[in-house]
Amino acid sequence: MNQFDGTESFDAEALRKKVSTIATIDREATQAEKAPAGLNPLARQIALQFRADTYSPAMMIGLIRLLDFCALFAIGYAINTQYVGPSLADLPVYIAILTGGSAFAVITMQLADAYQVPALRAWLRMMPRILGAWTGAFGVIALTLFFLKSGHLYSRVWVGGWFAAGVLFLVAERAFIAYSVKHWSRNGTMERRAVIIGGGAPAKELIRTIEHQPDNDIRICGIFDDRDERRSPNVIAGYPKLGTVDELVEFARMARIDMLIFSLPLTAEDRILTLLRKLWVLPVDIRLAAHANNLRFRPRSYSHVGKVPMLDIFDKPIADWDSVAKRCFDVFFSLVALAMLWPVMLGAAVAVKLTSPGPIIFKQKRHGFNNEIIEVYKFRSMYTHLSDPTARNAVTKGDPRVTPVGRFLRKSSIDELPQIFNVLKGELSLVGPRPHAVHAQTQDRIYSDVVEGYFARHRVKPGVTGWAQINGWRGEVDNDEKIRFRTAFDLYYIENWSLFLDLKILFLTPMRLLNTENAY
């Protein structure tokens, strides 16, 4: 039975796996010669309007939770310090009460749905819930102290002052946040940018449904459809059709799109799969609108935009707070690496400068996150007049272009150490798919012509080291199998990312570098 049949639940996981297997499929000769689709003037003009980055609602709400906790703690601590002035022996107990009370207040406000975007906008309507949550947190504190028979040890003025000051803070804060959220929504700072895929009546119905959602944070940037205007009008519900799905890839990268929404029936399996093969390489959420389909859904398979059910096909990898955690990881361990390895880097720099004329640092253009072009730093390992910034000709064993010092630097991977500065600049991550040169190729074929899903590895920042490298796939790429396996390992890393996996790769890297078989 068709997996999209109305008698069965939609299996998003099966579809994801089916698309992901494309990464190891060779392209047809005709596909290899196909150039990327360019944008028409209207699509380019609209894309340029959305070049600025936005802050996702999940990030903003997380920051507001953190603000509530820190502010309530600080208010209680300030009143305690000024009025009570506890001794050092009693201070840990007061700190525990302040921490527990502030944390429980945030938890109760979360349970009261006070951290939803509509709640942040309608602050007056939500104040009874917010103040009720704050009062409930104090009730728990009072009951705890009562049952511990220690309530008489703490100042009632302090507790009452903390409660009253907390009320004033929450009222003032929510009024300010409500104004800010409306301002951020108007200027595009806090929104999710979406593109509708598929036109006609289904797209029109989907757009109208989304637009009628109260406090909607979705900004529809346009519609893309492969069908001509007879089946898909050029303007749908006031939004222009900006091009074909092939053009959408470039548009999404240029416009910082957050979400792609399919307005197609679930029975159109072949068409959905064909479109996903083109679009899954983008670092965006991919959703399938399910508001017009009478199916039973598994709770984990779908999310909502307002009240519109969306089937989750692909999620943007390492997004929101995961990206913050990974960035903190990168900065911390990069600074540790610099503190430990600066003598090695200084020695390498001196050796390069003294043994051959030319610059110490070699800069090469490589693919970064979302196919953006970045300049990656390395210690120069070739003679300046023989260097190949395009990397069209890979370095081979005994390559005469490599200097004697450069040969040692490459075998030991010391030549890669300047990339720590790329990490601190935010262009690279310590761990991720290795960045390849823009024109890198094997057997006169660029990598994207060998592996159809090659660009899916650019959905996250490239790394100084990666899962493929610690599993033996480093060094020269002289045949199709090597780039195919590298891509498969890179995609595994993206789909299974965690900070623990990053830590594992980071600490295994020095041991794996002892194997210099493929490093020339």
Side-chain angles (χ1 to χ4, degrees):
M1 185 176 292
N2 190 308
Q3 67 171 326
F4 296 105
D5 198 337
T7 60
E8 293 187 0
S9 295
F10 175 78
D11 193 344
E13 181 63 27
L15 184 59
R16 280 192 290 272
K17 290 180 179 178
K18 194 171 184 179
V19 175
S20 298
T21 57
I22 296 167
T24 58
I25 298 175
D26 282 324
R27 287 189 171 213
E28 299 291 340
T30 54
Q31 290 179 304
E33 299 298 325
K34 185 177 179 180
L39 289 179
N40 61 71
L42 175 61
R44 184 173 295 277
Q45 179 184 353
I46 292 177
L48 291 175
Q49 297 175 10
F50 299 108
R51 286 288 292 167
D53 289 324
T54 61
Y55 297 97
S56 71
M59 290 286 291
M60 302 299 291
I61 289 171
L63 290 173
I64 292 171
R65 289 194 192 99
L66 182 62
L67 171 63
D68 283 349
F69 173 82
C70 293
L72 293 174
F73 180 93
I75 290 169
Y77 184 81
I79 295 173
N80 180 275
T81 302
Q82 293 298 318
Y83 182 78
V84 179
S87 64
L88 291 177
D90 294 332
L91 188 59
V93 179
Y94 280 96
I95 294 294
I97 294 172
L98 289 167
T99 302
S102 302
F104 195 75
V106 172
I107 292 171
T108 51
M109 284 190 280
Q110 176 67 40
L111 294 175
D113 292 329
Y115 291 111
Q116 303 294 328
V117 173
L120 296 176
R121 293 175 183 268
W123 70 281
L124 276 175
R125 178 171 56 84
M126 290 300 299
M127 282 317 300
R129 288 193 185 187
I130 294 170
L131 297 182
W134 179 231
T135 304
F138 257 83
V140 171
I141 294 173
L143 284 174
T144 302
L145 296 178
F146 172 77
F147 283 114
L148 293 176
K149 297 183 179 180
S150 56
H152 65 284
L153 300 176
Y154 304 103
S155 167
R156 286 171 290 180
V157 174
W158 166 55
V159 175
W162 186 21
F163 176 77
V167 168
L168 294 176
F169 164 75
L170 289 171
V171 172
E173 180 215 31
R174 288 308 172 109
F176 175 75
I177 288 175
Y179 168 80
S180 299
V181 168
K182 291 177 182 177
H183 176 69
W184 294 333
S185 299
R186 284 195 299 268
N187 65 16
T189 300
M190 190 178 80
E191 65 183 8
R192 288 184 292 171
R193 295 170 181 167
V195 164
I196 306 297
I197 301 171
K204 182 177 181 179
E205 181 183 354
L206 173 62
I207 292 171
R208 294 300 187 209
T209 305
I210 291 176
E211 288 184 331
H212 290 156
Q213 301 297 317
D215 303 314
N216 176 37
D217 67 334
I218 294 291
R219 171 75 68 91
I220 298 174
C221 300
I223 300 167
F224 286 80
D225 196 349
D226 290 335
R227 297 174 297 177
D228 59 32
E229 58 183 276
R230 291 173 298 177
R231 300 181 61 192
S232 177
N234 290 329
V235 178
I236 300 172
Y239 293 91
K241 187 172 70 173
L242 300 179
T244 65
V245 173
D246 287 325
E247 295 173 295
L248 172 56
V249 174
E250 183 178 347
F251 179 87
R253 286 177 173 147
M254 183 180 294
R256 299 293 196 275
I257 294 298
D258 300 302
M259 182 184 300
L260 306 180
I261 305 176
F262 283 81
S263 64
L264 300 173
L266 301 185
T267 52
E269 176 182 1
D270 291 339
R271 188 178 176 205
I272 291 172
L273 185 58
T274 299
L275 296 177
L276 286 175
R277 290 178 61 172
K278 300 176 181 179
L279 299 173
W280 77 299
V281 299
L282 293 169
V284 297
D285 294 326
I286 299 181
R287 303 288 183 257
L288 187 58
H291 64 294
N293 296 278
N294 298 318
L295 294 178
R296 299 192 305 272
F297 302 119
R298 299 172 184 168
R300 296 179 185 177
S301 294
Y302 68 97
S303 55
H304 287 84
V305 172
K307 295 183 179 179
V308 181
M310 298 281 178
L311 295 166
D312 300 346
I313 307 300
F314 285 101
D315 292 325
K316 180 179 179 180
I318 317 180
D320 297 332
W321 287 104
D322 285 342
S323 66
V324 174
K326 187 168 175 63
R327 181 60 182 157
C328 293
F329 178 97
D330 287 340
V331 172
F332 175 78
F333 282 103
S334 293
L335 294 175
V336 170
L338 282 178
M340 296 174 60
L341 298 173
W342 71 265
V344 177
M345 297 177 69
L346 180 60
V350 171
V352 170
K353 190 64 177 177
L354 294 180
T355 56
S356 62
I360 295 172
I361 298 297
F362 173 71
K363 299 177 182 179
Q364 188 175 64
K365 293 187 182 299
R366 300 192 180 188
H367 278 125
F369 171 71
N370 203 19
N371 273 33
E372 294 178 351
I373 306 301
I374 60 174
E375 273 195 338
V376 170
Y377 307 143
K378 298 180 66 174
F379 284 123
R380 181 174 56 82
S381 59
M382 293 185 178
Y383 294 104
T384 303
H385 65 288
L386 297 176
S387 63
D388 178 19
T390 66
R392 285 187 181 275
N393 300 313
V395 175
T396 58
K397 189 173 183 178
D399 199 314
R401 298 175 297 169
V402 179
T403 66
V405 167
R407 189 164 288 110
F408 170 76
L409 295 180
R410 294 178 71 91
K411 274 189 170 292
S412 60
S413 291
I414 292 175
D415 65 321
E416 310 281 1
L417 291 181
Q419 291 170 28
I420 294 174
F421 294 104
N422 287 112
V423 175
L424 292 175
K425 288 174 63 177
E427 296 169 334
L428 296 183
S429 181
L430 276 178
V431 181
R434 285 289 296 144
H436 293 153
V438 175
H439 299 293
Q441 58 186 21
T442 173
Q443 297 178 345
D444 297 325
R445 300 171 69 196
I446 60 174
Y447 295 160
S448 58
D449 287 343
V450 178
V451 184
E452 185 170 347
Y454 172 77
F455 286 123
R457 65 195 299 277
H458 298 158
R459 288 179 293 165
V460 300
K461 283 183 185 179
V464 178
T465 184
W467 183 242
Q469 282 63 47
I470 69 165
N471 282 280
W473 299 103
R474 62 184 287 254
E476 183 183 9
V477 180
D478 55 3
N479 60 60
D480 292 355
E481 282 299 305
K482 288 185 177 180
I483 188 57
R484 193 174 295 119
F485 274 107
R486 281 194 184 193
T487 301
F489 275 90
D490 290 337
L491 296 181
Y492 173 88
Y493 166 80
I494 294 172
E495 293 165 4
N496 296 275
W497 173 85
S498 69
L499 283 179
F500 176 77
L501 181 58
D502 273 5
L503 199 62
K504 176 182 176 180
I505 294 171
L506 198 61
F507 281 95
L508 284 176
T509 295
M511 290 180 280
R512 297 296 192 264
L513 290 179
L514 296 176
N515 179 10
T516 62
E517 180 182 354
N518 296 317
Y520 309 133

